[in-house]
Amino acid sequence: MPPKRTALTRSSPVEERAPAIVERLTKAYPEATVALTASNPLEMLVATILSAQCTDERVNKVTSTLFVKYRTPEDYLKVPESELAADIKPTGFFNQKTRSIRGACQRLVDAYDGAVPDTMEELVTLPGVARKTANIVLGNSFGIVVGIAVDTHVRRVSQRLGFTANEDPDKIEQDLMRILPKEQWFPFTYKLIDHGRTVCVARKPRCEDCPVSDLCPSSSV
C-alpha cells in the first residue's frame, strides 16, 4: 500500500506526524482487536498472564480447554500446583506463570471476594500483573481506559516510529499517552500490534509495504 502524499516527512516533529500515522494505520487495520479469547475478566486476566513470551494463537489453544476446567479463582487454587503447571505447559515459562496465576487468584479470594477488580491501582497488586496486563483487562473486560498496553510489538513499532526512545514499558506508555489523544489509547494499541505482526516485524521489517514508511525515521525506503 503506497503512502498517501503529504507535506509531512519522517523528520517532522513526532506531534505533527502522529495524527497522520494514526489515521493511516487505522485504515490499514480496521478490524484490529485483542486476539486473546476470553468471556469474562478472570479469563482475560489468566490469558494475558499466559501470553507473556507466547503467541496468542497458542494461548487460545490452551485456554480452550483450560477455561472449561477452571472457572473460578478457587478452581486454580484447589488443584496441585504441578497439575496447573502441566495444563499450561505449552505456553512456556509454565512454572513462573503457574505461580503468578495462583498468586493472583489467592489475592482475588483474599481481598476481592473472588472478583477481578476494575481499577489499575487494585489490579497491579495481583502477583504477575503489571500495567500492561492491567490495561488489557481493564480495556477489554470493563471498557475502562486509563493507559496503553505496551507489549513487544507496541514497544518495537513505537521505537521505530520515533514515538519513544525508552526501553522501559512504563516509560514508553507515558510517551505514547502524551503523543496520542486519549480516545486512541485503546484502539491504536491493537493497530500497532497488528502492524508489528504483519509488516513492522522484528528481524526484517517490510518497509516497502508499510503505509507510513514516509513518516517513519527507521524506514529503509
Side-chain angles (χ1 to χ4, degrees):
M1 179 188 300
K4 186 174 80 173
R5 294 291 180 180
T6 174
L8 296 171
T9 70
R10 62 193 60 174
S11 61
S12 298
V14 64
E15 293 81 7
E16 296 179 12
R17 293 185 292 112
I21 290 172
V22 170
E23 180 182 3
R24 292 189 201 175
L25 292 184
T26 296
K27 290 180 179 178
Y29 307 100
E31 305 299 326
T33 187
V34 66
L36 296 172
T37 300
S39 63
N40 58 58
L42 178 62
E43 290 184 359
M44 183 59 71
L45 174 64
V46 172
T48 307
I49 292 173
L50 293 176
S51 70
Q53 296 180 282
C54 182
T55 65
D56 292 342
E57 181 180 10
R58 180 169 294 181
V59 171
N60 288 338
K61 185 175 181 179
V62 168
T63 58
S64 66
T65 56
L66 190 77
F67 293 159
V68 174
K69 180 176 180 180
Y70 302 91
R71 296 180 178 274
T72 68
E74 290 85 356
D75 289 340
Y76 289 97
L77 298 172
K78 69 185 181 183
V79 301
E81 187 171 312
S82 59
E83 183 175 342
L84 176 57
D87 288 338
I88 66 171
K89 187 174 182 178
T91 68
F93 301 94
F94 54 92
N95 288 323
Q96 178 58 50
K97 291 177 181 179
T98 296
R99 289 190 291 270
S100 293
I101 292 170
R102 285 169 62 89
C105 287
Q106 189 66 62
R107 173 74 175 163
L108 292 179
V109 171
D110 292 343
Y112 302 109
D113 295 323
V116 177
D118 62 358
T119 71
M120 174 65 70
E121 292 73 21
E122 293 171 313
L123 280 168
V124 295
T125 69
L126 305 180
V129 175
R131 285 191 61 91
K132 182 200 85 169
T133 297
N135 275 316
I136 292 172
V137 172
L138 287 172
N140 289 284
S141 295
F142 298 105
I144 296 172
V145 180
V146 297
I148 296 171
V150 178
D151 73 348
T152 56
H153 299 294
V154 172
R155 178 177 62 185
R156 179 177 68 255
V157 177
S158 296
Q159 289 170 338
R160 287 175 175 170
L161 287 171
F163 284 3
T164 183
N166 284 303
E167 293 289 340
D168 179 77
D170 289 350
K171 292 181 179 179
I172 293 172
E173 180 185 10
Q174 293 301 315
D175 289 340
L176 293 176
M177 288 167 67
R178 282 192 293 269
I179 294 168
L180 302 171
K182 187 172 182 179
E183 62 268 20
Q184 289 294 338
W185 291 358
F186 181 75
F188 194 61
T189 296
Y190 296 104
K191 316 297 182 188
L192 290 176
I193 291 172
D194 277 10
H195 190 56
R197 285 174 172 158
T198 60
V199 176
C200 196
V201 294
R203 291 191 178 182
K204 187 177 174 59
R206 295 167 44 218
C207 298
E208 66 279 5
D209 298 322
C210 178
V212 295
S213 60
D214 59 320
L215 300 178
C216 178
S218 304
S219 177
S220 63
V221 299

